[in-house]
Amino acid sequence: MVYNFQLQTEIKFGNGIIDKLGEIISNYNVKRTLIVTDPGIVKSNLHNVVANILKNSGIEYEVFNEVKSDPNIETINKAKKIAKKYSPEAIIGLGGGSSIDTAKATAILMENDGELRQFSGENKVKKLNIPLIAIPTTAGTGSEVTRFAVISDANEKFTISSNFIIPKVAILDPTLTLSLPQETTAYTGIDALTHAIESYISTLSQPITDLLALKSIELIMKNLRIAFARGDNLKARENMLQASLFAGIAFNNSFLGLCHAIASPLGAHFNIPHGIAIGVMLPYVIEYNILASSNKFALIYRTLYPYDNDLDELKMSEKLIYSVTNLLKDINLPSNLHTIGVSEEKLQLVAEDAQKSIQLKYNPRIANQNDILSILKRAY
């Protein structure tokens, strides 16, 4: 077997590790930073936690706090103007995947000529020297360790993929996730679960990503309900943040699949939060992929339920769907598309857009446009 695995990010993980932020940034000889974050972080006062640590470390900062869910080009251009004027020596992405992706995109525009859309696809970014520091406050996207930034443009999402935008440092402090609302805990957690499952069954999966993905799945299935029910349970929050990290490292190397290919146009056309679109589609996509991956789905099930004596791979795969469906129900995520505002008339359009996704290349079972439309109709 030949495989290629990379991890370019320095990872700092632990309760209270945020207190080391000034020391970590100083290692890069940085004296001026731009904090990219969102209104929710401002409301929870977490931006002031970071700002005060920087101030006490003698590091100057400016704050851009207008990041929206599923960041669009307009928002990123606003951040770029502030960055160009302020000339930071490092950019800090503080928040969920939207804030971290906005930080990545802002850094690209600081150092590369052109409009953001020009960098869509693989390896279009030619340089990026400014250090990116990622501080996730959700357990979901894994963006703190990935080469991807997902950007919205009208009724479409596009992905920028480049090793240049992988953060230099990821600071993961579970205490920063304690104030995460129930709903956000649910749909970011399901996003992480789907990252892990799709990277595990990917055609590019490899031994290291398999280990990370399987551990991530186990942690999420055992801790997401607890984190949802008791947001102040620090151990559950710690386990969820680790799970998201492991899944991020895994899919940065093995990529994703059909569920993400479908969820992106669903989100773009109907303004649905990414994790909710992912959650609705996940059981149906697992069902579709059983034909090609029953052995791996059975291994997932066996990891979660080692005392089940059923040795039939297909039956264990079906039981896994049941287990995932129950998890979705317990954390109050919807079970079909019509309840989240998707119109049946546009399912064909979603299928057409999903067919364009590069993620289909890595899905274990080939899916054409008619296959995708059939899955969408089942989920409707």
Side-chain angles (χ1 to χ4, degrees):
M1 176 182 285
V2 177
Y3 58 88
N4 179 43
F5 180 87
Q6 65 171 329
L7 178 58
Q8 295 181 203
T9 305
E10 180 183 1
I11 297 168
K12 304 289 188 181
F13 189 104
N15 297 319
I17 196 70
I18 191 65
D19 294 336
K20 301 289 185 182
L21 175 62
E23 177 185 324
I24 292 166
I25 290 181
S26 294
N27 290 336
Y28 290 89
N29 297 315
V30 167
K31 293 295 183 184
R32 190 168 59 255
T33 64
L34 174 66
I35 301 171
V36 176
T37 192
D38 63 77
I41 296 296
V42 173
K43 186 177 180 180
S44 66
N45 207 41
L46 288 180
H47 74 301
N48 278 333
V49 171
V50 171
N52 288 334
I53 292 169
L54 294 175
K55 183 179 179 180
N56 292 336
S57 301
I59 299 170
E60 298 177 13
Y61 63 89
E62 182 65 70
V63 178
F64 175 78
N65 59 13
E66 298 181 41
V67 175
K68 301 175 182 178
S69 179
D70 298 321
N72 58 30
I73 291 175
E74 180 184 358
T75 298
I76 291 161
N77 283 335
K78 287 182 182 179
K80 179 193 73 172
K81 288 181 181 179
I82 291 176
K84 288 278 191 180
K85 182 177 180 180
Y86 185 64
S87 297
E89 297 168 335
I91 296 180
I92 299 172
L94 172 67
S98 295
S99 291
I100 296 172
D101 284 359
T102 300
K104 292 177 178 180
T106 303
I108 291 170
L109 295 180
M110 276 190 67
E111 297 193 21
N112 297 266
D113 295 328
E115 298 298 320
L116 193 60
R117 192 68 194 241
Q118 294 174 224
F119 303 101
S120 174
E122 287 277 334
N123 301 318
K124 302 287 182 63
V125 180
K126 299 305 179 185
K127 61 179 179 177
L128 204 159
N129 295 311
I130 189 168
L132 283 166
I133 314 295
I135 307 175
T137 61
T138 67
T141 69
S143 188
E144 67 272 11
V145 290
T146 73
R147 67 197 310 270
F148 307 109
V150 181
I151 312 300
S152 295
D153 183 16
N155 288 328
E156 185 181 358
K157 290 185 179 182
F158 65 93
T159 300
I160 300 170
S161 177
S162 169
N163 282 346
F164 283 116
I165 64 173
I166 299 175
K168 296 291 186 186
V169 183
I171 302 173
L172 296 102
D173 189 333
T175 65
L176 300 184
T177 69
L178 290 172
S179 60
L180 201 62
Q182 265 196 334
E183 183 183 50
T184 310
T185 297
Y187 63 68
T188 55
I190 288 299
D191 191 22
L193 177 64
T194 309
H195 290 158
I197 291 174
E198 293 208 296
S199 65
Y200 187 60
I201 63 172
S202 164
T203 58
L204 292 181
S205 68
Q206 51 186 273
I208 301 175
T209 60
D210 280 357
L211 287 169
L212 289 164
L214 202 55
K215 185 61 179 179
S216 176
I217 294 166
E218 182 182 12
L219 285 170
I220 293 168
M221 293 298 290
K222 291 180 178 179
N223 288 275
L224 181 50
R225 286 181 176 89
I226 302 170
F228 176 81
R230 283 299 304 258
D232 60 351
N233 187 309
L234 186 55
K235 187 61 180 178
R237 292 295 195 183
E238 181 179 325
N239 286 335
M240 285 301 301
L241 197 57
Q242 282 199 95
S244 176
L245 170 66
F246 294 163
I249 297 170
F251 87 79
N252 193 51
N253 287 273
S254 58
F255 300 151
L256 298 169
L258 178 59
C259 197
H260 275 80
I262 295 174
S264 287
L266 279 175
H269 286 291
F270 301 103
N271 196 29
I272 301 165
H274 177 69
I276 292 177
I278 283 287
V280 170
M281 296 308 307
L282 181 57
Y284 301 96
V285 172
I286 293 176
E287 180 184 41
Y288 179 81
N289 280 327
I290 284 177
L291 196 64
S293 291
S294 62
N295 60 328
K296 281 205 159 182
F297 288 135
L299 283 170
I300 293 172
Y301 183 80
R302 178 66 71 207
T303 298
L304 297 173
Y305 307 101
Y307 301 111
D308 190 324
N309 293 322
D310 197 336
L311 298 178
D312 185 281
E313 288 183 352
L314 289 176
K315 287 183 179 178
M316 284 191 282
S317 298
E318 291 167 359
K319 287 180 179 180
L320 177 63
I321 296 174
Y322 180 77
S323 181
V324 169
T325 301
N326 277 345
L327 173 62
L328 293 167
K329 180 181 178 181
D330 288 345
I331 59 174
N332 293 338
L333 286 186
S335 59
N336 52 63
L337 292 174
H338 74 265
T339 59
I340 56 174
V342 175
S343 63
E344 192 171 9
E345 295 76 19
K346 288 189 175 181
L347 293 183
Q348 179 70 45
L349 181 59
V350 172
E352 290 172 6
D353 286 354
Q355 185 63 36
K356 302 172 187 176
S357 173
I358 193 173
Q359 305 289 5
L360 293 183
K361 181 179 178 181
Y362 312 110
N363 196 68
R365 183 179 175 184
I366 293 171
N368 61 35
Q369 189 171 305
N370 287 334
D371 294 325
I372 296 171
L373 182 58
S374 177
I375 295 167
L376 285 164
K377 287 180 177 179
R378 282 183 59 78
Y380 189 78

